[in-house]
Amino acid sequence: QVTIKREVHSPKMANPKVISSPLFLGGLIKCGQCGSGMTLMTGKSGQYRYYKCTSQKHKSKYLCDTPNIPMEKLDNDVRERLAKRVFTPKRVRNMLTRLKKHVNAQDQGEKARIAELQSVLKKLDAALENLYEAIEEGAIELDETLRARVQKLKAKREETLIQISGIKRRQMLPINTITNPQVDAFCTALQRRFKEPDSEFGKGYLRFLVDEVRVEGNHATMRGSHRALAEVISILDPENPAASVPTTIHDWRARKDS
């Protein structure tokens, strides 16, 4: 049985190893018992293909007793559930509605946070400027202690800029510009392509919409991002959805919001 759990998460920068994997679930599948990744194994000269927990493969079979999982069966189960239960127009619209409410609820708090970070940035800039002026005027000597102080301030400034940038990107999420034709075209294209085992289109979108597939016994849970869903749909051309597979997703460092 495969169940779907759409979590309210921030999208990640897609791992190049995941994107380049020839497997449908390559880089996404995790062992539900020990949390390790699962990798492709073959038997009888490649006649059988299955997923195996890497802790069993590289460490010890006694660390985890998760049985091998037939690759084709799991891949087909995941495709079927995604097409028939997750990426339907009604459910996708519900996901986007929940995301919109979440984003709106965060709006005031994020504005206040930006103001706070901008105040911190202003103080850091002033501190650096004062140090540079003192050095130029010969008031203080640029020794190792001072170099370390300057580097610490610069690192803090960079971290603050990253935080501000992340919040601003979240605020720019095009949730309000997504149209019903885009949602319909997105769902139709995915439902069709997920039925094709060798579809690069389906695999490409899976990489950006699903963070992991965790398998334990006969149960698999897929975790994904509402924000990634909105990001992907917003760039989709309803007339040619197959040409809109993204090559990257913005990297929001924290994973505490949607």
Side-chain angles (χ1 to χ4, degrees), residues 208-227:
F208 295 100
L209 299 174
V210 176
D211 291 341
E212 71 173 24
V213 179
R214 190 171 289 263
V215 183
E216 186 168 10
N218 294 324
H219 183 80
T221 300
M222 285 178 279
R223 302 179 186 274
S225 165
H226 287 165
R227 284 188 180 271

Side-chain angles (χ1 to χ4, degrees), residues 10-242:
S10 301
K12 64 184 184 322
M13 179 69 76
N15 187 330
K17 293 182 180 180
V18 173
I19 292 177
S20 62
S21 173
L23 305 179
F24 183 67
L25 298 178
L28 299 176
I29 185 169
K30 304 287 185 182
C31 174
Q33 182 169 316
C34 70
S36 299
M38 301 190 76
T39 188
L40 174 68
M41 297 293 290
T42 60
K44 293 192 175 181
S45 301
Q47 184 178 354
Y48 299 105
R49 291 156 63 87
Y50 52 88
Y51 292 112
K52 184 181 186 69
C53 176
T54 55
S55 68
Q56 293 182 22
K57 179 182 177 182
H58 299 300
K59 298 178 183 178
S60 170
K61 64 180 180 179
Y62 300 107
L63 294 176
C64 180
D65 59 6
T66 294
N68 297 334
I69 303 170
M71 185 190 76
E72 184 176 0
K73 183 180 185 304
L74 181 60
D75 287 359
N76 288 339
D77 284 347
V78 169
R79 288 190 188 94
E80 182 180 358
R81 297 322 192 270
L82 287 173
K84 294 182 177 180
R85 298 187 184 182
V86 180
F87 296 118
T88 64
K90 181 178 179 180
R91 185 157 185 177
V92 168
R93 289 189 182 98
N94 286 339
M95 292 179 193
L96 295 176
T97 297
R98 291 197 297 270
L99 174 60
K100 185 175 181 180
K101 291 179 179 178
H102 184 79
V103 169
N104 289 340
Q106 283 189 319
D107 188 55
Q108 286 303 117
E110 289 193 331
K111 287 180 179 178
R113 179 58 177 161
I114 283 182
E116 178 185 343
L117 289 170
Q118 287 176 334
S119 177
V120 171
L121 184 63
K122 185 176 181 180
K123 291 178 181 178
L124 290 170
D125 286 339
L128 283 168
E129 184 64 26
N130 289 337
L131 283 175
Y132 292 149
E133 288 183 358
I135 293 171
E136 290 174 356
E137 294 172 359
I140 54 177
E141 183 180 350
L142 184 58
D143 56 15
E144 290 304 315
T145 300
L146 187 56
R147 290 180 189 276
R149 172 63 177 165
V150 170
Q151 290 302 317
K152 184 177 181 180
L153 288 172
K154 290 173 70 174
K156 180 65 176 177
R157 183 180 187 277
E158 180 66 19
E159 179 184 346
T160 303
L161 286 171
I162 290 173
Q163 291 183 57
I164 292 173
S165 178
I167 294 174
K168 287 184 176 181
R169 281 199 298 269
R170 289 198 294 271
Q171 291 177 332
M172 292 171 62
L173 187 70
I175 186 69
N176 294 316
T177 64
I178 294 175
T179 65
N180 284 333
Q182 281 180 302
V183 173
D184 292 339
F186 170 78
C187 293
T188 298
L190 280 190
Q191 288 168 9
R192 182 173 65 252
R193 298 300 186 180
F194 276 145
K195 295 178 182 178
E196 302 172 3
D198 299 323
S199 171
E200 289 299 317
F201 176 88
K203 190 176 76 172
Y205 267 112
L206 181 75
R207 295 295 181 266
F208 295 100
L209 299 174
V210 176
D211 291 341
E212 71 173 24
V213 179
R214 190 171 289 263
V215 183
E216 186 168 10
N218 294 324
H219 183 80
T221 300
M222 285 178 279
R223 302 179 186 274
S225 165
H226 287 165
R227 284 188 180 271
L229 179 67
E231 184 93 356
V232 168
I233 295 176
S234 70
I235 66 171
L236 183 139
D237 178 3
E239 301 298 325
N240 188 18

